Amino acid sequence: MADVLVYRAEGAAVAAGTDLYGFTVTRWRLPATYPPFAALLFVPTTWLPLGALKLAFAAANVVLLAALVRLSCRLAGLPVRFPAGCAATALALWLEPVFQTVLFGQINLALAVLILWDLTRPAGARGKGIALGIAAGVKLTPALFIAYLLLRGRRREAATAASALAGTVLLGALVLPTASADFWTRRLYETGRVGKAWIVDNQSLQGTVARALGEPSPGPAWALPAAAVAVGGLWLARRARRERWGVLITATTALLVCPISWSHHWVWCVPLIAVLYAERRLRTAAVVTAVFTARTLWLVPHAGDLDLRLPWWQQLLASPYALAGLALLACRAAGSQPSVSAASNSSASMIR
């Protein structure tokens, strides 16, 4: 549970008034990488003995997984029955991103639950967008969902989410002004602090390109395709006929274009499998389940810099989630149709 130790160290730094971004912990020398607002939320982690804290994180992540399964069923339009929900939760624990989240003591499930709960609430629900904004305040990647809401014409929800995000930034600046200035002017742009982009752990587009080229810093070879994927993904999300696919496409796009998306960030495979099952695409659901269970990225040589010297056939095994994400976008592009709102506002020629 290396990440639990990082969160605890962040909370301790806030409580003690020490440099939030000046420490490293564990034998991997892991630093704090989240905004100051997240560090404020981690202060309670200092109130428990380490053993109890690890147990609490493990139990909380199992509960959060059960909540994510339930929300995934809501997104997919599946009935939620207690015995089936328990079975699905138990099986979902073996999905590699979920298993790694529990193993590291990560917060991916908490963020996914916040986002999915907010997006699946009824239209016009009070405060809809706040949970999404808070999730983006903890980890900036979910902010792409704000752009998604804007493109879908849900301006009120987007404004609420943006306001909540701004509120987290303001709170961090008021309580931790020095750390906030350090993060927003310096640390945010030091992507190397998060980790090496080219190792197999990184299942983003940058990691895939870096390993394919054997280049630790692929530069424009990654940045240009990432920009194209960002634009194309948001375009597909806007045109999605069903909300479920708009959400999944946006999540996939965010994971692909983020400089670093560790394998445990891909817990969005849970709602993806649920949606495929609900639409009776059972073979595709089985393939996706196999991809996220097989752990092929850990089967290729990855000690030292071996990640950069993989033969072509091992490239496929080293980047299963990024390739699956690209395949999802390609399939949705091949069968994309205008969304209901877009169709009603488009001209007849555009509809044709």
Side-chain angles (χ1 to χ4, degrees):
M1 287 193 169
D3 288 312
V4 169
L5 301 179
V6 178
Y7 302 151
R8 196 167 191 250
E10 290 187 43
V14 172
T18 56
D19 186 1
L20 179 58
Y21 299 105
F23 70 81
T24 59
V25 293
T26 77
R27 62 188 178 92
W28 297 284
R29 300 181 62 83
L30 300 175
T33 58
Y34 294 170
F37 171 72
L40 296 175
L41 300 181
F42 294 144
V43 170
T45 62
T46 64
W47 301 344
L48 292 175
L50 184 57
L53 180 63
K54 290 183 176 182
L55 182 62
F57 259 80
N61 268 325
V62 173
V63 172
L64 287 167
L65 176 60
L68 181 60
V69 168
R70 186 178 183 87
L71 290 169
S72 298
C73 291
R74 181 195 294 180
L75 179 71
L78 290 170
V80 181
R81 298 184 177 90
F82 184 74
C86 290
T89 301
L91 292 173
L93 276 170
W94 295 101
L95 295 166
E96 192 270 349
V98 174
F99 185 86
Q100 292 287 74
T101 291
V102 177
L103 183 67
F104 286 125
Q106 255 285 344
I107 59 171
N108 306 304
L109 289 169
L111 296 179
V113 165
L114 273 176
I115 296 167
L116 204 52
W117 173 77
D118 208 347
L119 292 175
T120 56
R121 296 174 69 199
R126 178 174 296 185
K128 186 170 183 179
I130 292 178
L132 171 57
I134 292 174
V138 174
K139 199 170 188 176
L140 299 178
T141 308
L144 194 67
F145 281 98
I146 300 177
Y148 163 73
L149 292 175
L150 279 173
L151 291 172
R152 296 285 284 194
R154 293 153 64 177
R155 295 181 179 84
R156 181 176 179 179
E157 294 175 29
T160 302
S163 298
L165 171 58
T168 67
V169 176
L170 179 60
L171 179 60
L174 291 174
V175 181
L176 300 170
T178 302
S180 294
D182 188 19
F183 178 81
W184 295 108
T185 63
R186 178 184 172 194
R187 303 299 185 178
L188 175 62
Y189 312 102
E190 296 176 350
T191 55
R193 284 174 56 83
V194 182
K196 298 173 182 176
W198 43 267
I199 59 179
V200 294
D201 310 50
N202 184 18
Q203 290 294 301
S204 73
L205 192 60
Q206 179 176 214
T208 301
V209 172
R211 289 187 293 272
L213 299 179
E215 174 57 56
S217 302
W222 157 71
L224 295 178
V229 168
V231 173
L234 286 173
W235 177 78
L236 288 172
R238 176 187 178 274
R239 289 171 58 89
R241 295 185 62 187
R242 295 185 176 181
E243 173 76 4
R244 63 182 68 165
W245 282 111
V247 170
L248 292 174
I249 290 170
T250 303
T252 301
T253 302
L255 290 166
L256 286 172
V257 303
C258 183
I260 292 182
S261 293
W262 301 131
S263 69
H264 50 76
H265 293 170
W266 287 78
V267 293
W268 285 90
C269 62
V270 175
L272 173 60
I273 293 169
V275 167
L276 290 171
Y277 178 81
E279 295 186 354
R280 311 305 296 172
R281 304 183 187 191
L282 301 185
R283 291 183 180 178
T284 305
V287 170
V288 170
T289 302
V291 167
F292 284 97
T293 307
R295 294 158 167 76
T296 60
L297 66 161
W298 305 118
L299 300 180
V300 302
H302 56 274
D305 64 348
L306 293 179
D307 316 59
L308 293 172
R309 293 182 278 147
L310 299 174
W312 70 268
W313 62 274
Q314 288 184 349
Q315 298 287 346
L316 303 178
L317 301 177
S319 303
Y321 306 163
L323 295 177
L326 290 172
L328 170 64
L329 296 186
C331 289
R332 300 312 299 178
S336 66
Q337 295 180 5
S339 65
V340 174
S341 60
S344 63
N345 296 324
S346 298
S347 65
S349 58
M350 286 295 290
I351 294 176
R352 288 195 296 270

